[in-house]
Amino acid sequence: MDFGAITKHSVLHAKPSGLLFQYGTAGFRMKAEHLDHVMFRMGLLAVLRSKQTKSTIGVMVTASHNPEEDNGVKLVDPLGEMLAPCWEEYATCLANAEEEDMQRVLIDISEKEAVDLQQDAFVVIGRDTRPSSEKLSQSVIDGVTVLGGQFHDYGLLTTPQLHYMVCCRNTSGQYGMATIEGYYQKLSKAFVELTKQASRSGDEFRSLKVDCANGIGALKLKEMENYLSQGLSVQLFNDGTKGKLNHLCGADFVKSHQKPPQGMEIKSNERCCSFDGDADRIVYYYCDADGHFHLIDGDKIATLISSFLKELLVEIGENLNVGVVQTAYANGSSTRYLEEVMKVPVYCTKTGVKHLHHKAQEFDIGVYFEANGHGTALFSKAVEDKVKQLAGELEDKKGKAAKILRNIIDLFNQAAGDAIADMLVIEAILALKSLTVQQWDALYTDLPNRQLKVKVADRKVISTTDAERQAVTPPGLQEAINDLVKKYRLSRAFVRPSGTEDVIRVYAEADSQESADSLAHEVSLAVFQLAGGIGERPQPGF
């Protein structure tokens, strides 16, 4: 390592004083003006990770569903997965290092991980449409080049597209071509094949309104439209030509406010969906004949997909294990429907995509979605090989089902949750099953629920177990929650510390909205009293 050159460049990307940086599930995220030195140093770290894994590593400049003035960065590991946990710690350490400690930190990482510094390194970079992203991605490139790494700058990409590129480059093209055209061709080919097999019954399944959150998803869907000339007509809203990124639009806004985005007129029973700012989340929705808004979130998306996959496996006659992975935030009705009606086993993990992804890898077919619309399906190599073999050999009903499953596998971005890929999977399933959006919504009825936040002096006073569904500390809190839950029908409640701020998140569901609200309020009071609440006591009413 040429520490003279590193120091010379590092001074040009000076670390602001008085700020602490933490690499979390979403990488680093904060106001864009504080991130220049972080970007430079993540360029350095990506080179070390590339040398250590002897693979291409990705760096994505985005803050996803955060406001436009924020930005962020995350590293992508060789198979398109999230950065390994110990390297997240190195990222935090490197971002917080003072100038004079940089040399020691870089040497420490290299020695601990036995990095061969003579090994070649290759890094690919992508960015979203934020005004700050281009300059910040240049800072990443500065970090990569000063350590002698090679790079390819893809420019504007959705986050899942960068995950796809990394996976393609590290599997010698087996996963697909590592170009934007390769991505479009792989997905559109599978989608067009699937829609050819759907029964033709007018155009009701073929048009979709898409809210692009004024983000990168709009640019990429416009580019992809030419590839989808058959099978689907998409109408884009909040396409970035005038509105602000994620402002009053996007998947996060629609999910949390339970209403349509600004800038989109919805007629009765029209099928609509929203992406988030970097197009790795998707939620669906519609308004019924009475004008009531209906949200179809990640739980219902997972239910549609896993039920369809289970039906295909029955047709094919293969005894493969399908599992759905949820967090404690999944609506209880979805869990009951999957387990009791569809006979699909459901597993619960801690909140955070990396926990869901890891658990989903344990199954032949693992489907995971967070309620916020972030998710995908994973297929084992054995499943992919078997399906290809059956699709090639058989021309009967079993062979047809195998061909459908082969195309579904190709449609999913198994490297990451991908709003574009998930949208195409959903549209294909609805067409193949001749389902309307209302019929999909009617699979089960969500239990009313309420989420609240309680401010506390120190969020670490609450520790949890059982995938965050049981509080271990402080003493007496879980017992209090248990007693409160007993007062309501079909109810449950849990609390967990926020990953980013000194608040405790409270979740409650019950048989009516009034009961869910009341239970959430009572649990909030218990948290306030037993876990060191600060400020005003929680008040009823929402």
Side-chain angles (χ1 to χ4, degrees):
M1 278 191 276
D2 182 347
F3 287 111
I6 292 169
T7 303
K8 191 172 147 192
H9 281 78
S10 189
V11 171
L12 302 174
H13 302 281
K15 173 179 167 292
S17 58
L19 287 175
L20 262 182
F21 301 86
Q22 176 71 45
Y23 193 104
T25 304
F28 292 108
R29 269 192 209 167
M30 57 172 51
K31 290 277 180 281
E33 62 262 28
H34 301 317
L35 283 167
D36 179 51
H37 84 287
V38 172
M39 298 292 172
F40 172 73
R41 294 178 186 194
M42 289 310 100
L44 300 175
L45 191 70
V47 170
L48 295 183
R49 182 65 170 153
S50 177
K51 288 174 183 284
Q52 190 240 356
T53 57
K54 300 180 173 60
S55 305
T56 296
I57 296 296
V59 180
M60 185 70 202
V61 178
T62 182
S64 188
H65 54 276
N66 280 36
E68 189 170 271
E69 54 274 15
D70 289 357
N71 218 319
V73 60
K74 61 180 181 180
L75 271 63
V76 179
D77 254 359
L79 291 178
E81 70 274 60
M82 297 168 88
L83 189 60
C86 62
W87 282 78
E88 288 185 2
E89 289 174 29
Y90 298 149
T92 298
C93 191
L94 191 56
N96 287 300
E98 297 304 331
E99 199 62 56
E100 60 271 21
D101 298 326
M102 283 271 290
Q103 185 171 333
R104 178 185 56 78
V105 173
L106 290 167
I107 289 170
D108 274 358
I109 296 168
S110 302
E111 287 177 352
K112 270 184 195 158
E113 295 296 330
V115 176
D116 175 4
L117 295 172
Q118 303 311 308
Q119 174 70 35
D120 288 342
F122 199 87
V123 177
V124 292
I125 299 149
R127 67 176 191 271
D128 71 11
T129 53
R130 291 164 197 272
S132 59
S133 290
E134 189 169 3
K135 187 170 181 295
L136 290 174
S137 68
Q138 190 53 55
S139 301
V140 174
I141 291 168
D142 288 354
V144 172
T145 51
V146 78
L147 264 190
Q150 300 294 305
F151 71 92
H152 179 78
D153 181 10
Y154 279 101
L156 293 165
L157 285 184
T158 70
T159 296
Q161 285 173 340
L162 185 76
H163 285 257
Y164 165 89
M165 301 303 175
V166 173
C167 189
C168 290
R169 283 174 175 269
N170 289 317
T171 53
S172 309
Q174 281 177 294
Y175 187 64
M177 281 195 309
T179 62
I180 196 68
E181 293 78 16
Y183 172 89
Y184 295 146
Q185 282 163 2
K186 181 182 179 184
L187 267 62
S188 60
K189 181 171 177 279
F191 180 73
V192 170
E193 284 294 315
L194 284 166
T195 51
K196 273 183 195 163
Q197 298 182 56
S199 61
R200 293 278 179 261
S201 54
D203 284 340
E204 66 266 38
F205 304 115
R206 309 179 117 239
S207 74
L208 175 67
K209 289 187 166 178
V210 186
D211 157 34
C212 298
N214 290 314
I216 182 68
L219 293 181
K220 297 303 164 185
L221 261 188
K222 274 179 195 161
E223 289 175 4
M224 195 174 186
E225 270 185 295
N226 301 330
Y227 295 83
L228 294 174
S229 50
Q230 307 165 45
L232 184 65
S233 158
V234 292
Q235 237 185 312
L236 305 186
F237 296 85
N238 298 315
D239 64 357
T241 49
K242 46 183 188 288
K244 267 183 87 171
L245 178 70
N246 295 322
H247 182 61
L248 303 177
C249 60
D252 205 53
F253 172 84
V254 171
K255 169 89 173 89
S256 54
H257 290 83
Q258 302 271 323
K259 65 181 185 184
Q262 216 175 56
M264 184 194 271
E265 285 294 316
I266 304 180
K267 294 192 189 110
S268 167
N269 296 324
E270 277 186 324
R271 203 167 63 260
C272 309
C273 69
S274 283
F275 294 178
D276 69 336
D278 65 339
D280 66 355
R281 292 183 186 185
I282 184 170
V283 294
Y284 269 70
Y285 45 92
Y286 67 98
C287 287
D288 63 24
D290 297 325
H292 293 133
F293 177 79
H294 293 255
L295 176 74
I296 300 178
D297 65 6
D299 297 339
K300 269 205 173 124
I301 292 172
T303 303
L304 178 77
I305 291 167
S306 54
S307 303
F308 185 69
L309 293 173
K310 180 91 188 280
E311 287 165 16
L312 283 180
L313 291 177
V314 169
E315 292 257 310
I316 294 167
E318 288 296 315
N319 188 21
L320 299 165
N321 66 334
V322 182
V324 174
V325 189
Q326 298 181 326
T327 70
Y329 286 103
N331 196 277
S333 290
S334 71
T335 312
R336 268 190 283 276
Y337 177 83
L338 284 164
E339 290 184 329
E340 294 168 17
V341 180
M342 293 310 301
K343 304 288 186 259
V344 174
V346 178
Y347 299 85
C348 189
T349 70
K350 286 166 70 175
T351 305
V353 174
K354 62 184 171 187
H355 303 298
L356 293 144
H357 194 92
H358 185 69
K359 184 70 183 173
Q361 288 173 319
E362 294 177 16
F363 307 99
D364 293 325
I365 300 176
V367 179
Y368 72 84
F369 272 83
E370 292 184 289
N372 64 26
H374 188 289
T376 189
L378 306 180
F379 302 85
S380 70
K381 176 96 172 53
V383 168
E384 292 193 23
D385 291 347
K386 185 70 182 172
V387 167
K388 271 181 190 153
Q389 179 201 336
L390 291 172
E393 287 174 0
L394 302 170
E395 291 300 326
D396 58 2
K397 199 175 174 187
K398 190 172 175 177
K400 185 186 173 190
K403 285 188 179 89
I404 289 173
L405 184 51
R406 185 188 64 197
N407 284 313
I408 290 277
I409 291 170
D410 281 346
L411 253 188
F412 273 112
N413 186 341
Q414 295 185 60
D418 184 336
I420 294 175
D422 292 341
M423 177 190 84
L424 293 175
V425 169
I426 291 162
E427 291 301 313
I429 293 173
L430 293 176
L432 286 161
K433 290 179 67 68
S434 296
L435 277 178
T436 65
V437 69
Q438 302 91 318
Q439 288 168 323
W440 173 21
D441 188 30
L443 288 176
Y444 62 83
T445 304
D446 277 331
L447 281 168
N449 56 83
R450 177 65 65 192
Q451 294 184 43
L452 298 174
K453 292 196 263 191
V454 181
K455 281 189 179 177
V456 291
D458 178 11
R459 66 182 185 269
K460 296 191 193 73
V461 298
I462 289 193
S463 59
T464 64
T465 185
D466 187 25
E468 302 176 316
R469 291 176 291 189
Q470 296 278 318
V472 179
T473 59
L477 178 59
Q478 188 57 49
E479 289 76 10
I481 293 170
N482 293 346
D483 289 342
L484 292 168
V485 164
K486 283 176 194 160
K487 292 165 56 179
Y488 301 93
R489 286 192 63 244
L490 296 176
S491 63
R492 67 186 182 103
F494 65 88
V495 299
R496 57 177 275 270
S498 162
T500 53
E501 51 186 329
D502 273 323
V503 298
I504 303 302
R505 300 190 185 280
V506 174
Y507 179 91
E509 64 183 33
D511 65 334
S512 71
Q513 191 62 57
E514 192 182 0
S515 294
D517 290 349
S518 177
L519 176 57
H521 172 62
E522 291 182 312
V523 171
S524 297
L525 282 174
V527 169
F528 190 85
Q529 286 157 1
L530 296 170
I534 56 171
E536 197 182 346
R537 284 165 65 83
Q539 300 297 312
F542 306 98

